[in-house]
Amino acid sequence: MARYAMVIDLHKCVGCGACDITCKNENNVDRDIFWAHHFTRTAGVFPNVKYEHVPTLCNHCDNAACVKACPTKAMYKDDKRLTLHDPDKCIGCKSCMQACPYDVISFNAKEPHGFWRDGNPVIPEGTASGKETAEGLGQKIPYYNPERATTYAGIRPKGIVEKCTFCDHRLAKGEEPYCVFSCPAGARTAGDLDDPTSQVNLLLAQYGYKQLKPHVGTKPKVYYIRY
Amino acid sequence: MKMTRRRFLQASAATGLLVTVGTGVPVLKALAESENTALAEGEWFATTCQGCTSWCSARAYVVDGRVTKVGGNPNSKSNNGKVCPRAHIAIQQLYDPDRVKVPMKRTNPKKGRNEDPEFVPISWEEAIDTITDKMMELRNNHEPEKYVLMRGRYSYLRDIIYDATTKVFGSPNGISHSAICAEAEKFGPYYTEAYWDYRDYDLDKTRYALLWGADPIASNRQVPHAINIWGKVLDQATVVAIDPRLSATAAKANEWMPVIPGEDGALATAMAHVILTEGLWNKEFVGDFNDGANLFKKGQTVPEESFTENYSFGIVKWWNLELKDRTPEWASEKAGVPAEQIIRVARGFANAAPNVISWLSPGAAMQVRGGYAAMAAHALNGLVGAADNVGGTLRGSKVPTGSIPSYDDYLDETAKKGKKNKKIDQRGYKEFPALNGGVSGGGVVTNNLADAMLNKDPYEVKMAIGYWNNFPFSCTGAQRWEKAMEQLPFFVHITTNPSEMTQYADIVLPAAMHMFEKWAFLKSKANKVAYASIQQRMVEPMWDVRIDESEVPWLIAESLAKKGFPKLFNYFKSEFKDPETGKTPTNSMEFTIYSVKMMTQNLWDPSKEKKGDSLNSWQDFVDKGVWNSVEYPYRKKWEDFGTETKKFEFYSETLKKALEGHAEKHNTDVDDIMQVTKYLARGEIAFIPHYEEPFRWGDSSEFPFIFFEHRSRLNREARSANTLWYQEFKDVDPGDEAWDDVAKINPADAEKIGIKNGDTIKITSPTGNITCTAKLWEGVRPGTVGKCYGQGHWAYGKIASLDYGKTPRGGNNNEILPADYERLSGATARHGGVTRVKIEKA
Amino acid sequence: MEWHAPWDIRIALDLFLGGLGVGVFIISVLLNVSDKERNSKISLMGSYLAPLLVGGGVLFLLSELGRPERFLSTLYNFNPQSVTSWGGLFQIGFMIIALVYAWQNFKGKTNDSTFRTLQGLGLLFAILIGVYHGLLLASLGRPLWGGGMIIALFLGSSLFGGIALLVILKELGISIGVPAQVRSETAATSSNKGFNFTVLFFIISAVELVLVLGWQFALYRSGTDTLAAVNSMMESFGGLWVGLVIIAGLLIPLLGSLFAIIKDKNSEMSKGLAIILSALVIVGSYTFKHIVIIAGQGTLPLIF
């Protein structure tokens, strides 16, 4: 069985945010919820200033704190060693969010995509509204991606958490995670750590790597190279 | 339902129009099923992204008549099938909840920022009828020139509405937005190597990239290609970013030169000085001293006859007139950058030559006195032999598209007389040379249109149609535009969103969104390949929209014909034919598609010779979405650059001729022209790249900070601020914050004036003030304050503005930037620290 | 965007009320066992109160869950690695035991072996819940909640709160649902011997104070994450922490009970003092739990 990991080449990454945006697009993610995100750091004093942009996502930890914390096994490791979430088992206790050292799990406190249920036009009869647009297309969000629903709730309902699934629905079709696919810099590589010839292993061997918060013992599987 | 493009075309032929008429009821409701039904198979359709002027060939995935995803077009050789984040945001523009869904008319006759236009929906018939009534009135009064077409962003169908419709109607006034965009940048390469266009850059083979305010991994030009290749560029080349701000590219560069805004010319001339004094110029391109000994010594003039040039002209004149005193130490004082850094960069650049790029951007050019800085920065390419060379700056290959058919036979007497009037924007006036193509008044002075309208000089404007533009937001001195639009008697806005400009409209026409609902084509270049790229209607529009550049003029022409002026309609019906069937159009959509087919026929018709992709049919072009040229051949222009001397000009005979021509037209001399265009140069200095002291509005005692603005990597030319993804990820612009509009202030400056991070502040310039949030950031030069363009909408929609029609989200830079110009090109001077500001807690 | 803690006041109330409940239960069983004669009424009150408090806490917990109707799935989807899972089990178990125990008390069946078994089991589950509260936080790996001391702190705070609540009931003489024979028994005994709340007060406030200060001191001496967390806590809640948790909730009860003991080591503190000190203890206990729970959720910068 595979052990999926991602390598992010920070030398190639230009911090454009395409991963953040396309992740929301692919996975029908509501506003204020982020499966893929980033942190930035500005260090130094003018004119010797260093600016870093580091993309983040679920680390699909080998020793996942969220899986341990979940009281109902809703958060689990699958046969590809991905950390996945079963929306039908989740009780919305948010223990996983507390346990995750990377803040990559989000809770649906509200019925999602309320933006597309707002029926107030800025010009009555003249402009559309979120509600009219979404309803006109028969979807909860106009650009709803139905492929997402093949392995996870297409849109996660109110009361449960949600997180990155490494695009398991795309992996199932032999496709890369969408952030990898849509990165214009080619900075992301997904692959199997158990396969010694995989691109991820070659990159890790060639460049060495860093992980986020390795000291907390979660064994994260998002590796940053060429930082 | 799977919608193939053939079925689309059949549908269009059968029904005439692809949209429902009148009701605004979305047509797709019946087709769409509830969420999570059986997985529908989608299909990719090629299109073109116009989020910036890179104009990338892209594609979009359509499922059940909905666009669900966007990506790069894998058939494109210029962007490697990649798109930058902008393209994805286009989906939220397509499905923007605040889109105008039906034609509307104004019911509140009072116009103004705080006046609710009280728009009410009307039918297309009523809307067009109202417009053509006004147009007929002008023709009947023999004043068709008082009609103005204000063009914004465009496709290559533009000439239908911008040129033909305007001229056949009888007005000279097709006014483009070009001069608020980049004309001063084009001035640099034009008056050195006779190329009035954006350049291409051979990033693949470059060894040194000197970026003059350019931020290619974030904003125009060729962004996806730059992003894609940046890792390689950093591996093989040295990158130097000259910018008062730690831009996205500066953050990924080898060196950051945080220049004082507007002082780029000092750096460029000093680098040229170093290159010459150290004997580092390219001997093959520029030539050498006859006896081989370098006579370029600091402060010393050189006899012209001692040097023999090859492909360049005027190197010694340039030295004697300007460069001999432009030492790095002198430039260091001016530009606020250490002399050692200037020397190091100049040497590095010259040593890596000729595979180097001096990459000029609007930042270093669109300054009041920026024309000569643009020349100086571009001249460095000539100095080291990088112009048109391997790893250097390039032109584009030819994309052999056609133009619209001639309309000369359709001009009646009124039209012929009307279009002979001066253009309304005062181009070619003594103080507005606008020397595009070497001709006085050859270019547009877009932003001056507001003053021309207010002053009724050269004459009054009685009606205007604007499309895909938003001048009261996008032009500096925005308040002037508000006034000009207030007094304009009749204005028609063709738009997707109810923008600031729409607030002044009498008739609002809902436009098709360019990327997914329009038929058109674009041309651009990147990665040594020039290309034409399609835009196609891949989903049926939800709203009652028309294509701005083709369908609307068709409807106008049809209506004018009914009212006794059939010339335009006859022109459309007779001259535009389907090149495959020879059929003439019977409706606006056929007219649109035939236009695209005609103008792109050379590309897709296998019988036509061309240097590039072989396509076998129109459908093949639509399917592939792009025609790529062959790679641009290096050194193509070395034998004849097309300048007056045929050489790469360091002493611009071409500019001399243009300036003297303009002076002659106004019975004066070039010194006087320099004077009225705010330049300090006198005598021959006016013909060479040289340093000019920056011109700034505001006194440093009252306005202590130099204000500069920059672009966002998520801006779709200020049209994306009404999308969630733009706001949620605004912090991908270094120093910026999500959901906010920040002014970036150096912490040392902020401490002096008692401003804390996150404070709401008021920024005041001599011409206006705005409110936004303070961001304390080390990535901005002390003494300057930097702010991104794009936020500050007081209309456009619910996200872009905090309270639509009333309260903006943040502040629009154009309300504090005074309306000023780089007058030689006609460009709006929005960069180079054109104004000083003060900052107070709000 | 403003930051919101995933767990809001309802989790603080769950841990507070649950803690108070098990504290009351433990003390009331201890009273029943050690000094049944004199404290039977108060012990009885405690047996009623315990399931009410724990149940109330569970209600707050349920209201915090996104899917409260799935709460029982923690039993059949039980995850042995999850402290939250164990917590569900303990709370359900305790509720059943405590309710039966209260019923037995109400019916006056306090002498059979069932009663003793219930006392034993209840005591076990009460302690498990008391431990679970701190263990839950400790298991989540957040810097402020790290280290084992948090377990002792929460357990101590729960016990102290339970004592305080019983003292208030005792001093106010509240008695509801007391069987007739108990009422008479109580009237018959009123000596000063036996169980002494004041001493307990003194001891436990001293222990808890040492624990709290020791915990805070340890945090300040830990790694950067932890230091950042405690600094952030003190920045947001410093006043409440010092004022309500340390001074009002621990120091004043410590000094008050000490004062009473010095005055007369054999008798309880005066009614007024007892009520005031107990109220302070309860307020302090809640504030302590609230601050630790909310502040512990603060986001921390990601680092390589």
Side-chain angles (χ1 to χ4, degrees):
Chain A
M1 275 297 133
R3 191 158 69 98
Y4 274 106
M6 189 177 293
V7 172
I8 299 180
D9 183 337
L10 293 178
H11 176 77
K12 285 186 175 177
C13 172
V14 300
C16 73
C19 44
D20 295 344
I21 293 170
T22 55
C23 172
K24 289 210 160 200
N25 192 175
E26 176 70 26
N27 297 300
N28 309 318
V29 178
D30 196 8
R31 67 186 280 185
D32 302 336
I33 290 182
F34 303 94
W35 291 13
H37 210 208
H38 57 266
F39 67 88
T40 63
R41 262 195 311 218
T42 307
V45 175
F46 178 91
N48 301 308
V49 188
K50 191 173 180 244
Y51 175 82
E52 281 177 289
H53 174 111
V54 181
T56 54
L57 67 156
C58 172
N59 277 281
H60 294 276
C61 304
D62 267 350
N63 188 24
C66 58
V67 172
K68 282 191 193 163
C70 178
T72 58
K73 295 184 193 159
M75 206 65 88
Y76 66 99
K77 299 296 291 187
D78 84 336
D79 58 3
K80 299 181 196 70
R81 305 298 297 276
L82 298 176
T83 304
L84 299 181
H85 172 243
D86 183 343
D88 296 327
K89 283 187 180 170
C90 180
I91 62 170
C93 72
K94 295 168 270 186
S95 297
C96 53
M97 293 169 69
Q98 305 289 9
C100 174
Y102 308 108
D103 282 328
V104 292
I105 308 173
S106 306
F107 179 68
N108 286 285
K110 291 174 293 198
E111 188 65 34
H113 298 294
F115 180 76
W116 298 106
R117 291 194 304 279
D118 176 356
N120 298 314
V122 293
I123 301 172
E125 310 288 316
T127 56
S129 68
K131 185 172 190 262
E132 192 178 0
T133 307
E135 284 184 354
L137 295 163
Q139 300 292 340
K140 288 184 177 166
I141 46 176
Y143 38 84
Y144 174 76
N145 173 22
E147 288 160 34
R148 177 61 275 185
T150 54
T151 61
Y152 195 25
I155 292 170
R156 279 62 55 191
K158 178 183 173 183
I160 64 168
V161 301
E162 63 177 75
K163 61 175 275 298
C164 160
T165 69
F166 215 75
C167 282
D168 61 324
H169 60 298
R170 290 177 57 89
L171 295 179
K173 293 191 293 177
E175 295 171 337
E176 309 168 288
Y178 200 54
C179 59
V180 177
F181 177 77
S182 56
C183 173
R188 291 178 177 228
T189 310
D192 180 4
L193 281 179
D194 285 346
D195 172 4
T197 66
S198 69
Q199 191 64 25
V200 290
N201 274 325
L202 297 180
L203 287 170
L204 295 178
Q206 184 179 353
Y207 294 111
Y209 59 85
K210 282 197 289 198
Q211 293 157 294
L212 288 176
K213 296 187 181 174
H215 61 279
V216 296
T218 45
K219 299 187 183 163
K221 293 211 301 289
V222 174
Y223 298 88
Y224 298 89
I225 63 168
R226 303 177 81 195
Y227 26 86
Chain B
M1 167 179 164
K2 186 174 162 177
M3 179 69 80
T4 68
R5 60 184 72 82
R6 276 174 200 84
R7 279 176 63 181
F8 242 116
L9 289 177
Q10 284 154 9
S12 95
T15 62
L17 296 174
L18 280 167
V19 292
T20 53
V21 179
T23 61
V25 172
V27 293
L28 290 172
K29 194 163 185 173
L31 302 177
E33 288 154 314
S34 59
E35 195 205 343
N36 298 354
T37 48
L39 204 54
E41 188 69 16
E43 191 179 356
W44 288 100
F45 289 86
T47 185
T48 310
C49 175
Q50 290 190 273
C52 75
T53 40
S54 295
W55 295 352
C56 290
S57 185
R59 61 177 187 168
Y61 196 66
V62 176
V63 181
D64 272 344
R66 295 180 299 116
V67 177
T68 62
K69 294 181 200 182
V70 169
N73 184 348
N75 299 314
S76 166
K77 293 176 181 165
S78 51
N79 63 23
N80 312 298
K82 303 288 183 189
V83 285
C84 81
R86 284 178 186 81
H88 305 286
I89 294 176
I91 299 180
Q92 291 192 330
Q93 271 185 290
L94 171 66
Y95 296 121
D96 189 327
D98 301 317
R99 276 189 69 174
V100 180
K101 57 181 188 178
V102 285
M104 302 187 291
K105 71 175 177 192
R106 179 181 207 94
T107 59
N108 177 4
K110 283 181 78 183
K111 295 181 180 180
R113 180 150 176 173
N114 297 314
E115 290 293 337
D116 180 348
E118 293 168 20
F119 287 124
V120 294
I122 53 171
S123 67
W124 270 96
E125 289 71 23
E126 185 186 343
I128 297 293
D129 196 48
T130 311
I131 295 165
T132 52
D133 275 354
K134 295 282 174 188
M135 292 174 82
M136 287 309 292
E137 211 176 292
L138 292 181
R139 277 194 62 91
N140 292 337
N141 293 337
H142 302 286
E143 48 180 15
E145 71 277 5
K146 293 178 182 172
Y147 163 95
V148 174
L149 186 282
M150 300 178 186
R151 189 190 88 191
R153 182 48 62 214
Y154 61 92
S155 81
Y156 282 91
L157 289 192
R158 66 188 178 190
D159 287 337
I160 296 169
I161 188 170
Y162 169 73
D163 186 22
T165 301
T166 313
K167 302 281 174 53
V168 173
F169 175 72
S171 171
N173 288 316
I175 302 296
S176 85
H177 76 297
S178 299
I180 59 170
C181 188
E183 295 309 277
E185 179 192 329
K186 297 171 185 170
F187 185 89
Y190 189 83
Y191 288 107
T192 47
E193 56 160 305
Y195 188 53
W196 192 280
D197 203 343
Y198 298 119
R199 280 76 54 218
D200 193 3
Y201 303 97
D202 193 6
L203 286 171
D204 186 43
K205 296 198 172 65
T206 201
R207 293 291 179 271
Y208 206 105
L210 190 55
L211 307 173
W212 298 92
D215 193 9
I217 59 174
S219 68
N220 192 35
R221 298 199 50 83
Q222 45 186 261
V223 180
H225 172 56
I227 292 175
N228 191 243
I229 205 168
W230 208 250
K232 183 179 182 212
V233 170
L234 291 174
D235 285 339
Q236 72 188 17
T238 303
V239 178
V240 177
I242 302 164
D243 201 315
R245 168 184 74 112
L246 189 73
S247 65
T249 309
K252 296 286 290 183
N254 299 84
E255 292 212 28
W256 176 36
M257 286 182 114
V259 65
I260 294 171
E263 297 283 2
D264 309 81
L267 291 179
T269 52
M271 286 183 199
H273 177 97
V274 172
I275 289 166
L276 290 182
T277 53
E278 302 197 0
L280 300 173
W281 71 89
N282 185 285
K283 308 289 188 306
E284 183 193 3
F285 188 80
V286 180
D288 204 353
F289 285 99
N290 298 334
D291 61 2
N294 185 5
L295 301 183
F296 294 129
K297 301 248 181 325
K298 183 172 116 183
Q300 294 181 19
T301 51
V302 171
E304 282 186 39
E305 61 281 6
S306 64
F307 198 103
T308 305
E309 289 184 79
N310 291 340
Y311 300 102
S312 68
F313 173 81
I315 182 75
V316 177
K317 277 192 167 121
W318 188 23
W319 169 264
N320 289 342
L321 287 167
E322 173 71 7
L323 297 183
K324 66 177 170 30
D325 302 316
R326 298 303 179 214
T327 64
E329 294 73 23
W330 164 84
S332 175
E333 293 268 306
K334 295 285 180 189
V337 171
E340 310 81 72
Q341 193 179 21
I342 298 170
I343 295 165
R344 180 172 65 241
V345 169
R347 282 178 186 158
F349 178 74
N351 285 327
N355 314 120
V356 302
I357 297 168
S358 176
W359 186 315
L360 177 60
S361 81
M366 292 182 76
Q367 312 173 353
V368 176
R369 293 171 182 153
Y372 292 101
M375 284 176 77
H378 191 71
L380 292 176
N381 288 309
L383 208 50
V384 298
D388 231 35
N389 206 348
V390 182
T393 82
L394 308 174
R395 302 190 187 190
S397 292
K398 188 171 164 51
V399 181
T401 51
S403 50
I404 56 167
S406 166
Y407 49 77
D408 288 351
D409 293 345
Y410 298 86
L411 298 169
D412 65 7
E413 285 314 308
T414 309
K416 280 179 186 159
K417 194 160 156 273
K419 84 185 191 66
K420 275 196 194 123
N421 279 283
K422 281 184 176 173
K423 290 203 177 205
I424 187 68
D425 60 341
Q426 304 180 350
R427 69 183 72 179
Y429 275 32
K430 188 175 166 187
E431 66 276 24
F432 286 113
L435 300 170
N436 182 345
V439 180
S440 169
V444 62
V445 195
T446 314
N447 201 8
N448 193 48
L449 179 55
D451 293 297
M453 283 165 64
L454 284 167
N455 299 326
K456 303 188 181 3
D457 175 9
Y459 45 83
E460 185 188 8
V461 175
K462 288 196 171 168
M463 81 170 283
I465 298 179
Y467 84 91
W468 211 348
N469 59 349
N470 189 12
F471 293 155
F473 183 85
S474 61
C475 289
T476 60
Q479 298 89 338
R480 295 170 313 118
W481 274 97
E482 294 181 18
K483 292 277 165 290
M485 296 304 294
E486 274 170 29
Q487 57 85 54
L488 177 61
F490 187 73
F491 179 61
V492 180
H493 203 207
I494 314 173
T495 186
T496 56
N497 282 65
S499 72
E500 285 75 6
M501 199 160 181
T502 312
Q503 306 305 310
Y504 301 91
D506 296 275
I507 298 286
V508 183
L509 301 178
M513 198 273 178
H514 68 275
M515 223 172 140
F516 313 105
E517 296 177 337
K518 190 171 171 175
W519 279 100
F521 73 100
L522 277 305
K523 294 193 288 183
S524 189
K525 58 182 179 288
N527 196 22
K528 289 178 280 189
V529 173
Y531 59 92
S533 178
I534 195 100
Q535 286 176 335
Q536 59 177 315
R537 176 165 289 184
M538 64 185 75
V539 288
E540 291 203 40
M542 297 189 70
W543 318 119
D544 195 9
V545 299
R546 297 291 184 277
I547 296 175
D548 42 16
E549 295 172 317
S550 52
E551 284 196 279
V552 171
W554 172 277
L555 296 174
I556 286 174
E558 194 176 36
S559 173
L560 286 172
K562 282 182 196 152
K563 293 178 184 178
F565 177 64
K567 292 279 187 186
L568 186 61
F569 201 42
N570 288 344
Y571 166 66
F572 288 165
K573 282 198 301 184
S574 313
E575 303 292 336
F576 290 77
K577 295 188 186 107
D578 184 336
E580 286 181 309
T581 63
K583 280 188 190 164
T584 51
T586 60
N587 61 53
S588 63
M589 186 52 80
E590 284 178 6
F591 173 63
T592 303
I593 292 172
Y594 296 171
S595 303
V596 182
K597 281 173 94 167
M598 277 175 75
M599 285 190 258
T600 57
Q601 186 181 0
N602 288 340
L603 308 178
W604 54 260
D605 185 338
S607 69
K608 308 277 185 188
E609 282 291 314
K610 64 245 171 198
K611 291 177 179 168
D613 290 356
S614 296
L615 299 168
N616 54 40
S617 66
W618 158 250
Q619 193 57 50
D620 194 27
F621 179 46
V622 176
D623 287 344
K624 292 204 170 74
V626 63
W627 177 90
N628 301 287
S629 75
V630 294
E631 280 204 2
Y632 182 78
Y634 297 114
R635 303 184 177 203
K636 191 178 162 190
K637 290 285 167 184
W638 280 27
E639 295 301 330
D640 180 2
F641 277 101
T643 56
E644 285 299 307
T645 60
K646 298 187 176 181
K647 308 283 189 185
F648 189 104
E649 295 181 340
F650 298 122
Y651 179 95
S652 183
E653 292 287 353
T654 310
L655 179 55
K656 185 175 180 181
K657 186 180 172 201
L659 282 172
E660 286 177 350
H662 180 73
E664 203 175 308
K665 177 171 145 189
H666 294 284
N667 296 316
T668 184
D669 58 14
V670 173
D671 280 358
D672 184 34
I673 299 300
M674 287 289 111
Q675 166 82 31
V676 297
T677 55
K678 295 195 179 178
Y679 276 103
L680 302 173
R682 297 294 180 268
E684 283 194 297
I685 305 283
F687 313 133
I688 56 165
H690 66 270
Y691 172 75
E692 291 264 345
E693 190 92 36
F695 180 92
R696 299 194 210 285
W697 287 60
D699 180 77
S700 62
S701 57
E702 190 186 351
F703 301 101
F705 295 100
I706 298 172
F707 181 82
F708 71 88
E709 72 160 4
H710 65 89
R711 296 291 173 264
S712 168
R713 63 205 326 173
L714 301 185
N715 270 8
R716 296 180 57 83
E717 300 188 320
R719 291 186 287 274
S720 48
N722 201 48
T723 68
L724 292 171
W725 292 337
Y726 177 89
Q727 299 292 351
E728 285 193 287
F729 296 112
K730 187 70 182 71
D731 65 337
V732 296
D733 291 317
D736 278 10
E737 297 287 341
W739 291 100
D740 206 351
D741 186 28
V742 301
K744 295 176 280 284
I745 307 168
N746 189 281
D749 285 338
E751 195 183 349
K752 281 182 218 156
I753 55 171
I755 300 286
K756 286 194 291 296
N757 199 42
D759 282 352
T760 302
I761 52 170
K762 185 168 97 169
I763 307 182
T764 307
S765 79
T767 58
N769 67 74
I770 54 172
T771 303
C772 65
T773 306
K775 173 68 183 277
L776 274 50
W777 196 51
E778 287 290 353
V780 68
R781 186 183 177 94
T784 71
V785 50
K787 189 169 162 295
C788 189
Y789 168 67
Q791 298 269 39
H793 280 283
W794 53 271
Y796 218 86
K798 267 183 276 193
I799 299 177
S801 57
L802 287 179
D803 184 3
Y804 170 80
K806 299 187 184 81
T807 317
R809 181 186 294 281
N812 178 9
N813 294 352
N814 286 323
E815 291 176 26
I816 52 172
L817 287 167
D820 211 334
Y821 305 86
E822 195 295 298
R823 288 168 163 75
L824 299 184
S825 64
T828 291
R830 57 170 78 253
H831 293 300
V834 64
T835 190
R836 294 184 153 275
V837 295
K838 65 178 169 189
I839 299 171
E840 300 151 297
K841 262 192 196 172
Chain C
M1 264 193 323
E2 275 179 49
W3 173 80
H4 295 286
W7 285 345
D8 64 18
I9 190 171
R10 289 170 291 183
I11 293 295
L13 284 167
D14 171 37
L15 266 53
F16 169 67
L17 293 175
L20 216 51
V22 299
V24 162
F25 187 91
I26 292 166
I27 302 302
S28 77
V29 170
L30 290 181
L31 288 176
N32 182 280
V33 173
S34 69
D35 194 2
K36 189 177 171 182
E37 296 309 302
R38 201 162 61 106
N39 293 299
S40 55
K41 195 167 88 178
I42 197 68
S43 162
L44 198 63
M45 286 293 104
S47 76
Y48 295 159
L49 260 181
L52 283 179
L53 288 166
V54 174
V58 170
L59 285 180
F60 279 112
L61 169 67
L62 287 175
S63 75
E64 169 74 41
L65 293 183
R67 289 300 174 104
E69 76 279 9
R70 294 179 180 172
F71 177 66
L72 287 181
S73 72
T74 50
L75 296 180
Y76 54 84
N77 287 327
F78 190 79
N79 175 10
Q81 282 188 305
S82 166
V83 177
T84 316
S85 237
W86 286 105
L89 192 68
F90 296 156
Q91 290 182 75
I92 293 165
F94 177 81
M95 281 302 292
I96 294 167
I97 296 162
L99 283 170
V100 176
Y101 178 67
W103 180 252
Q104 296 277 77
N105 266 316
F106 180 68
K107 285 286 163 193
K109 296 181 189 164
T110 55
N111 289 316
D112 56 8
S113 64
T114 317
F115 188 78
R116 290 289 159 209
T117 312
L118 283 171
Q119 275 189 333
L121 276 175
L123 213 48
L124 174 68
F125 273 84
I127 291 167
L128 285 172
I129 289 177
V131 171
Y132 145 74
H133 285 165
L135 195 61
L136 168 68
L137 299 184
S139 75
L140 295 171
R142 301 195 80 86
L144 196 69
W145 302 340
M149 275 180 88
I150 200 91
I151 302 167
L153 273 171
F154 267 66
L155 184 61
S157 181
S158 298
L159 286 173
F160 202 12
I163 293 165
L165 188 57
L166 288 178
V167 168
I168 290 176
L169 291 179
K170 177 168 170 266
E171 295 301 340
L172 293 178
I174 293 171
S175 55
I176 301 160
V178 179
Q181 80 267 27
V182 177
R183 229 173 291 151
S184 57
E185 277 171 21
T186 313
T189 57
S190 62
S191 84
N192 282 336
K193 297 232 163 151
F195 200 92
N196 187 315
F197 278 104
T198 310
V199 174
L200 194 58
F201 233 81
F202 173 73
I203 292 169
I204 202 157
S205 58
V207 171
E208 188 72 3
L209 185 62
V210 169
L211 281 174
V212 168
L213 293 176
W215 174 73
Q216 211 178 343
F217 181 73
L219 288 180
Y220 277 119
R221 309 255 314 196
S222 302
T224 45
D225 278 8
T226 313
L227 187 63
V230 70
N231 281 332
S232 159
M233 178 185 98
M234 292 309 283
E235 203 175 290
S236 305
F237 300 101
L240 286 176
W241 182 263
V242 173
L244 288 187
V245 178
I246 310 278
I247 296 176
L250 295 170
L251 203 57
I252 293 177
L254 177 79
L255 297 176
S257 51
L258 182 64
F259 170 76
I261 291 166
I262 290 168
K263 230 172 87 179
D264 181 356
K265 71 181 160 105
N266 288 324
S267 67
E268 296 280 17
M269 46 195 160
S270 71
K271 184 171 179 170
L273 185 64
I275 290 174
I276 289 167
L277 292 187
S278 298
L280 286 176
V281 166
I282 290 170
V283 168
S285 171
Y286 176 74
T287 311
F288 161 73
K289 289 183 177 177
H290 181 94
I291 290 175
V292 170
I293 287 164
I294 300 299
Q297 299 175 66
T299 48
L300 292 162
L302 288 172
I303 41 163
F304 283 115

